[in-house]
Amino acid sequence: MATEQTTLAEQTEECHEELERDDAVIGRAFWGSLAVFFVLGVAGLAVAWWMHRPKPPPPPAPRPFSTLSVREMPKVQLPPVRFTDVTRQAGIDFVHENGAYGDKLLPETMGGGVAFFDYDNDGDPDLLFINSCRWPWDPRGPASPAPRMALYQNDGHGRFSDVTAGSGLDVTLYGMGVAIGDYDGDGLRDVFISALGRNHLFRNLGGGRFQDVTEAAGVAGAEDAWSTSCGWFDYDNDGDLDLFVCNYLQWSKEYDLAQDFQLTGGGRAYGRPQHFRGTFPYLYRNDGGRFTDVTEAAGLAVRNRATGVPMAKSLGVIFLDVDDDGWTDIIVANDTVQNFFFRNLGNGTFQEMGTECGIAFDPAGLARGAMGIDHACFRNNHEVGVTIGNFANEMTALYVSSPATRQFVDQAVATGLGPTTRLLLTFGIGFFDYDLDGRLDIFAANGHLEDEIHRVQSSQHYEQPPQLFWNAGPTYTTEFVPVPGEVCGEDFVRPMVGRGAAYADIDGDGDLDLVITAVGKPPRLLRNDNSLGHHWLRIQLVDPKSLNRDALGARLTLYTPAGRQYRTVSVTRSYLSQVELPVTFGLGNDPTVEKLLVEWPDGQQELFAIPEVDRLWVLQRGTGSTVEQQAGSAGE
């Protein structure tokens, strides 16, 4: 019985399992049929849409292509002006000493400056080269003879004689830059020399003699400071010259060596400024021949907002009235930190506005390794151009602004200046009209820091060619055209370790000659052999009733048949250097000029008639006619 019941139960269970399997098959069949009906429905709808779809519009009727005309840009014809290396021929035998002995200390890479100035008042530019020296710990011992500055007297025809001995400038120091200005108003131009360590002020006594008055004047600076570019200007409009001095960074031998800077692939390298702390510049107010340090009170001690440490690592400086308010502003080129624009507020203080005004950084918002700097109205209008030489693989900058906006825009790429400068490391830089066509051109002195840089970067070389850029004017797409050696002369573009640079008319022929210094090597004096026949005009101002007798800061507007040209009397330009005092106007083929408007440093305007060109005119204040006497003519 039990066996029968078990068999019946098993049969019952098997029956249930068979029923479940049947239900599953029926379910799958149902859902499969439903899916088929759905697909058929969708397909039917698709067929219905296809059968009743809207007709596409007819293709457009073909139209004939418009005839395209290609605008032909005018071809650039570079002026054939050659520069000739006359260094030895002119009597220059100076060799810069940087003190390098193998430990690779950063100051060895940065000198030295040069100045064109008429120290003896005979009407032609003389030359002063700034030298450094060996280190006190140099294992070679002191050099014999000891390195000194070099003062060369010009005979008026471009031939120079070394008159350093007995001049008072025959001193040994680790010099960097130079500033020329008549700070005491006696008609003789004095010399300030910046240095690693104490700076020096030499008063010009006349007769080829200079007296060190540093202590009495109070401008030595700190014993451990590293001063670079410097210049004289009247920041407070009181009629005498004040002194601005850039300081680079906080340096010591012990700290430099402790960083153990290395080249890629091995070997000691020169240090990078990012590894050193910043510092402050000096602003010395002239209080009757004795100077007061007003840096902090004037608002020039810029600190990092996050850390409170000094920010500046300054190498270049220019003075100009950016906003046309009658007060001289300051623009400072800083290395690896933002550039400064110190706006003169007219009350003895400045406001740093570099970021707000667009001159602090590159177009990507990055700080560059800025060295030399210059400014000019290079388009012969009221736009101000500021060019800054930068480190290798960074383009030279060309910031352009107008007084109405006080806003700078870097136009280096748009003008053609930037791309051809990217690979080079530029120190000295400046505007000058080398072909006398009435448009300001640009020169650049280039050279790397590392003598073994080619081993690390194949695109870089220690010695690099100087560059010359011709201002083609607004007619051309490329405003600044690089001038090759076959046009400007192979002497110009021969590679060197360029640093400071300055210009002057050394031989009285009206065109501007150029000198470029080289760190640890001889300089290069390049004579401008311009034979284009262009006319020119040179102007030197004298204000006999002012302590600022040379009228530094005066602004000139020359009216010519071709238009206007603008200049500022300012000798502090380039890198560590000073250019000559007279200003040069190129006139092209114009044999006459209409008038010259001079705005003296105190704002008074005076018109001068210029009866003859192709000569230097020395214009004394009060000998022209005031603007009020020539009503309406000044602002036309």
Side-chain angles (χ1 to χ4, degrees):
M1 186 69 179
T3 302
E4 292 177 355
Q5 289 178 347
T6 301
T7 302
L8 180 59
E10 291 174 349
Q11 291 175 350
T12 303
E13 185 177 351
E14 291 176 357
C15 183
H16 281 300
E17 290 177 353
E18 184 175 352
L19 288 173
E20 288 176 357
R21 286 195 296 270
D22 292 343
D23 288 343
V25 170
I26 293 171
R28 286 195 297 271
F30 172 76
W31 288 108
S33 299
L34 185 62
V36 170
F37 284 129
F38 177 77
V39 171
L40 291 174
V42 172
L45 290 173
V47 171
W49 176 84
W50 179 262
M51 297 297 294
H52 297 88
R53 73 187 187 281
K55 299 294 183 182
R63 300 175 62 184
F65 288 105
S66 300
T67 303
L68 297 179
S69 59
V70 179
R71 185 178 66 166
E72 293 187 5
M73 296 302 295
K75 295 181 179 179
V76 175
Q77 185 67 40
L78 293 170
V81 176
R82 301 183 71 83
F83 287 81
T84 304
D85 184 348
V86 295
T87 312
R88 286 289 182 180
Q89 174 185 337
I92 305 296
D93 56 3
F94 171 78
V95 178
H96 179 260
E97 169 65 71
N98 66 342
Y101 63 91
D103 275 349
K104 289 195 171 182
L105 302 174
L106 185 57
E108 297 165 1
T109 68
M110 305 304 291
V114 62
F116 277 117
F117 77 115
D118 186 4
Y119 82 90
D120 52 3
N121 277 344
D122 64 353
D124 51 52
D126 308 300
L127 259 175
L128 176 64
F129 292 98
I130 307 304
N131 211 350
S132 299
C133 61
R134 288 188 179 183
W135 300 107
W137 54 83
D138 191 326
R140 299 170 298 177
S144 181
R148 293 185 172 92
M149 310 300 126
L151 178 64
Y152 289 91
Q153 184 181 45
N154 189 348
D155 67 356
H157 304 286
R159 177 73 185 178
F160 293 86
S161 301
D162 190 336
V163 294
T164 314
S167 67
L169 296 177
D170 48 348
V171 296
T172 299
L173 70 160
Y174 208 97
M176 283 284 156
V178 56
I180 303 298
D182 179 8
Y183 77 89
D184 52 4
D186 64 355
L188 298 169
R189 294 163 192 94
D190 310 299
V191 177
F192 177 85
I193 297 176
S194 65
L196 180 66
R198 296 177 71 257
N199 300 318
H200 292 262
L201 175 60
F202 296 92
R203 182 173 176 240
N204 191 337
L205 303 177
R209 292 283 302 162
F210 292 83
Q211 178 186 7
D212 191 333
V213 295
T214 308
E215 293 300 329
V219 292
E223 291 281 351
D224 60 350
W226 181 356
S227 299
T228 54
S229 290
C230 43
W232 300 93
F233 76 127
D234 183 7
Y235 85 93
D236 50 4
N237 285 359
D238 65 351
D240 57 24
L241 293 180
D242 312 297
L243 178 64
F244 183 92
V245 183
C246 292
N247 286 315
Y248 187 26
L249 41 77
Q250 297 182 33
W251 181 88
S252 71
K253 169 197 172 186
E254 293 74 21
Y255 184 85
D256 197 331
L257 291 177
Q259 301 310 301
D260 193 26
F261 300 107
Q262 293 290 314
L263 288 169
T264 303
R268 166 77 177 171
Y270 282 108
R272 293 172 289 277
Q274 295 95 323
H275 293 261
F276 297 86
R277 297 185 64 178
T279 183
F280 301 137
Y282 299 136
L283 177 61
Y284 294 107
R285 187 185 65 216
N286 189 342
D287 295 328
R290 173 75 186 179
F291 292 82
T292 303
D293 186 343
V294 295
T295 309
E296 189 86 40
L300 301 180
V302 180
R303 292 176 171 84
N304 185 298
R305 295 179 182 178
T307 62
V309 302
M311 183 184 293
K313 297 178 181 180
S314 305
L315 290 176
V317 63
I318 51 173
F319 311 114
L320 69 162
D321 184 359
V322 174
D323 49 7
D324 202 21
D325 64 353
W327 297 89
T328 302
D329 310 303
I330 309 170
I331 297 180
V332 176
N334 283 316
D335 189 4
T336 70
V337 297
Q338 66 194 62
N339 301 318
F340 294 152
F341 166 40
F342 291 112
R343 185 187 174 217
N344 193 332
L345 301 181
N347 59 1
T349 68
F350 294 81
Q351 180 184 7
E352 203 290 295
M353 301 179 62
T355 300
E356 295 88 335
C357 294
I359 205 168
F361 302 104
D362 72 2
L366 302 174
R368 291 185 274 205
M371 312 293 177
I373 184 171
D374 197 10
H375 73 283
C377 296
F378 67 93
R379 288 179 175 143
N380 290 336
N381 56 23
H382 287 290
E383 291 180 329
V384 177
V386 175
T387 185
I388 300 178
N390 292 310
F391 201 79
N393 300 312
E394 298 174 341
M395 292 186 293
T396 291
L398 181 58
Y399 298 100
V400 181
S401 177
S402 66
T405 63
R406 208 169 57 239
Q407 187 70 35
F408 287 92
V409 176
D410 191 347
Q411 297 183 10
V413 173
T415 59
L417 179 65
T420 52
T421 62
R422 187 179 65 83
L423 287 179
L424 301 176
L425 200 169
T426 300
F427 280 87
I429 193 166
F431 291 98
F432 75 142
D433 185 359
Y434 78 91
D435 62 336
L436 300 176
D437 65 350
R439 296 187 299 270
L440 288 167
D441 315 296
I442 294 177
F443 67 83
N446 306 312
H448 212 281
L449 308 183
E450 287 286 352
D451 56 1
E452 296 182 286
I453 189 63
H454 186 65
R455 178 167 65 85
V456 179
Q457 300 180 44
S458 59
S459 64
Q460 292 296 315
H461 298 273
Y462 185 47
E463 294 186 334
Q464 299 180 352
Q467 290 176 294
L468 182 64
F469 297 91
W470 181 60
N471 186 342
T475 305
Y476 297 90
T477 304
T478 302
E479 201 163 348
F480 283 102
V481 182
V483 184
E486 56 264 28
V487 176
C488 66
E490 295 301 328
D491 285 352
F492 192 104
V493 299
R494 191 169 67 254
M496 64 185 300
V497 192
R499 292 296 184 263
Y503 58 78
D505 178 11
I506 64 172
D507 46 12
D509 60 358
D511 54 34
L512 293 174
D513 311 292
L514 186 66
V515 64
I516 303 175
T517 69
V519 62
K521 296 178 181 292
R524 185 177 301 170
L525 181 61
L526 293 161
R527 187 185 63 210
N528 186 335
D529 292 330
N530 185 347
S531 58
L532 298 174
H534 287 165
H535 297 287
W536 50 273
L537 177 67
R538 288 167 53 77
I539 301 293
Q540 183 171 336
L541 301 179
V542 177
D543 188 352
K545 296 183 179 180
S546 171
L547 290 175
N548 180 11
R549 289 177 57 90
D550 289 327
L552 294 182
R555 298 191 291 181
L556 290 74
T557 304
L558 182 69
Y559 296 77
T560 77
R564 302 179 190 178
Q565 295 185 45
Y566 304 89
R567 299 286 189 274
T568 300
V569 180
S570 179
V571 296
T572 303
R573 302 175 185 271
S574 186
Y575 171 74
L576 305 178
S577 301
Q578 305 275 284
V579 303
E580 67 170 354
L581 184 62
V583 297
T584 297
F585 296 93
L587 303 177
N589 295 320
D590 289 336
T592 62
V593 297
E594 298 169 1
K595 56 189 175 184
L596 177 71
L597 175 65
V598 175
E599 182 177 331
W600 297 93
D602 63 1
Q604 182 180 354
Q605 295 183 337
E606 196 171 2
L607 279 170
F608 291 87
I610 306 296
E612 183 182 354
V613 300
D614 298 333
R615 57 165 292 182
L616 168 70
W617 286 92
V618 179
L619 303 179
Q620 185 169 301
R621 184 169 184 172
T623 60
S625 19
T626 63
V627 170
E628 290 75 16
Q629 292 171 327
Q630 299 286 335
S633 60
E636 292 176 357

